[in-house]
Amino acid sequence: KASRRHLVDIAYQIHAAAESDEPYDRVIEKARAALDNAVLARQDSKTLAEIYPDMLRNMRDGGYRGLSSPWPELDHHIVGLQAGRLYTVAARPGVGKSIIAQSIAEHMALVHGRRVYFSTLEMQTEELAIRFLSAAIGIDSKRLQAGHLTAAEWQAVENAGQAGFVDMSIDICATSSQTIETIRSGARDTSRK
């Protein structure tokens, strides 16, 4: 009953926010966050005694192996990309953080057949799409952007569209005003697809 009362409180808060002058996107994000928090609050905890049998079985069945990345040496150190974990790529500007993220996104979509939500604050949607195309067909992205290609290269670009490049399950969001909440929302929407 307490959970239901809490849900009614959330509904009143959402109703009040919807009638306020607050921007629509912010109201939606607050509503989703409130509902997500209500769901998370209801999750049950487990004791180590309850966790241990499943943990032991997983270890005996080959361990906790996540999805592979494009780099086997990285997979060796992190045991693959695990569900529910947050991975941060950090370095100084201009050393390839975006390329690493792009490579992982491509690998998840092409090798593992996963749908990917790629969020960026530093590039435009078409610029990022050109980078994905560049990696797929092996033509420098600056040349693709400029459109100065040979006939054979133009054919490779056209073939990429017919060969499944455009069907790669990567959703790109390049809105400069993104927040953690909007990124979370975009990931949820992509997950629903």
Side-chain angles (χ1 to χ4, degrees), residues 139-160:
I139 298 174
D140 182 66
S141 63
K142 287 185 179 28
R143 293 189 56 229
L144 287 172
Q145 271 184 312
H148 298 213
L149 304 174
T150 66
E153 290 170 334
W154 277 116
Q155 188 61 50
V157 169
E158 290 177 16
N159 290 345

Side-chain angles (χ1 to χ4, degrees), residues 3 5 7 12 18 43 77 95 109 111 114 118 127 156 179:
S3 296
R5 284 192 301 273
L7 188 59
Y12 281 125
Q43 292 180 347
H77 290 289
V95 295
V111 174
R114 300 296 175 108
F118 195 101
E127 180 184 359
T179 63

Side-chain angles (χ1 to χ4, degrees), residues 65-185:
R65 291 200 178 103
L67 297 174
S68 67
S69 74
W71 307 284
E73 188 173 330
L74 175 64
D75 293 335
H76 173 73
H77 290 289
I78 65 171
V79 197
L81 298 167
Q82 304 280 333
R85 291 192 183 170
L86 173 66
Y87 297 92
T88 304
V89 178
R92 62 182 175 79
V95 295
K97 296 181 298 295
S98 295
I99 291 174
I100 288 173
Q102 176 190 335
S103 296
I104 291 172
E106 285 178 29
H107 192 79
M108 291 299 125
L110 294 174
V111 174
H112 297 294
R114 300 296 175 108
R115 182 167 274 304
V116 175
Y117 178 72
F118 195 101
S119 175
T120 180
L121 299 173
E122 31 179 62
M123 287 182 268
Q124 298 297 318
T125 306
E126 284 189 23
E127 180 184 359
L128 189 56
I130 286 173
R131 284 186 172 201
F132 279 112
L133 178 61
S134 171
I137 63 176
I139 298 174
D140 182 66
S141 63
K142 287 185 179 28
R143 293 189 56 229
L144 287 172
Q145 271 184 312
H148 298 213
L149 304 174
T150 66
E153 290 170 334
W154 277 116
Q155 188 61 50
V157 169
E158 290 177 16
N159 290 345
Q162 297 166 1
F165 166 76
V166 293
D167 296 328
M168 207 171 14
S169 54
I170 297 178
D171 292 11
I172 299 171
C173 181
T175 307
S176 61
S177 61
Q178 294 180 79
T179 63
I180 294 296
E181 289 79 21
T182 59
I183 293 170
R184 184 180 295 132
S185 174

Side-chain angles (χ1 to χ4, degrees), residues 49-75:
E50 293 169 324
I51 297 167
Y52 182 75
D54 289 337
M55 181 183 75
L56 188 60
R57 188 185 70 251
N58 284 330
M59 291 168 61
R60 284 191 174 137
D61 289 346
Y64 291 88
R65 291 200 178 103
L67 297 174
S68 67
S69 74
W71 307 284
E73 188 173 330
L74 175 64
D75 293 335

